[in-house]
Amino acid sequence: MTTVTDLVELFESEAARDRPSEQTPDVGIIMGSDSDLDVMAGAHDALVDLGFAEVTDYDDPPEGYSFESWVVSAHRTPDLMYAYAETAADRGLDVIIAGAGGKSADLPNMTASLAYPIPVVGVPVQEKSVDSVIGMPTGAPITAVDAGKSYNAGLSAAQFLATGDDELAQRLRDLHADQSEGVADVSRELHERGTPGFRASRD
Ligand code: RP5
């Protein structure tokens, strides 16, 4: 069985290893519970759509941009949250995506404070979590997306990285262009089939 202490020690030992940046994840995805994963999977999907690979073994890192995923609970495992956020820079992370649900969704805000100045993109997993995620007081900002919009959080994380990488910026442009074409396709189809025909084609 893995304990919180095991994971704290893992993060601390990774921080101490001083690996080159090509061998460390660029983006960290954390969520308060595995019950958040269905919502948070959008961040994974966006990063994969942009060519990122998921790191599942620190000793066998993929090539190119990468990300990692962990469950870190602010209220059940505060020690783990501290260790994750405080070692993030030394583990090579450049951006963190943090999602949590409930009315007091503290993980994104606390992570933004502890990992500062690493940018944190907050995802309110539920509608009732929005105020607690976007309501950061002055001093330790958080970038946040709307409830459940974790795909946008993945895009936003890549945007931070793309400020220093034209090739990644182009991947973002290409993905945006693909989405534009999808809208154009569906727009023409609606126009040419007419509303009843279009709705019938969707049944
Ligand atoms: C929050 O409480 C988590 O982010 C999750 O959205 C919610 C419920 O967690 P579980 O009780 O399902 O683990 O901290």
Side-chain angles (χ1 to χ4, degrees), residues 31-36 73-76 99-102 104 125-126:
M31 60 203 83
S33 168
D34 60 327
S35 67
D36 298 329
S73 170
H75 65 283
R76 283 176 294 209
S104 177
V125 165
Q126 300 166 308

Side-chain angles (χ1 to χ4, degrees), residues 28-64:
I29 301 175
I30 55 174
M31 60 203 83
S33 168
D34 60 327
S35 67
D36 298 329
L37 187 56
D38 284 348
V39 171
M40 292 301 293
H44 163 281
D45 295 346
L47 292 171
V48 168
D49 286 348
L50 289 164
F52 287 59
E54 186 163 11
V55 176
T56 55
D57 178 352
Y58 287 142
D59 291 323
D60 185 21
E63 299 210 343

Side-chain angles (χ1 to χ4, degrees), residues 5-126:
T5 304
D6 293 335
L7 295 182
V8 169
E9 287 174 0
L10 172 65
F11 295 143
E12 288 175 347
S13 68
E14 281 302 309
R17 287 177 80 162
D18 204 22
R19 292 180 190 263
S21 63
E22 313 83 70
Q23 295 177 16
T24 58
D26 303 288
V27 180
I29 301 175
I30 55 174
M31 60 203 83
S33 168
D34 60 327
S35 67
D36 298 329
L37 187 56
D38 284 348
V39 171
M40 292 301 293
H44 163 281
D45 295 346
L47 292 171
V48 168
D49 286 348
L50 289 164
F52 287 59
E54 186 163 11
V55 176
T56 55
D57 178 352
Y58 287 142
D59 291 323
D60 185 21
E63 299 210 343
Y65 280 108
S66 63
F67 64 96
E68 62 172 9
S69 309
W70 292 97
V71 171
V72 176
S73 170
H75 65 283
R76 283 176 294 209
T77 62
D79 291 349
L80 185 59
M81 176 184 67
Y82 271 81
Y84 188 88
E86 290 179 342
T87 60
D90 286 337
R91 290 187 295 109
L93 293 175
D94 293 314
V95 190
I96 296 172
I97 297 168
K103 204 166 182 181
S104 177
D106 297 322
L107 179 69
N109 287 328
M110 290 301 297
T111 302
S113 176
L114 293 164
Y116 184 85
I118 293 176
V120 172
V121 185
V123 182
V125 165
Q126 300 166 308

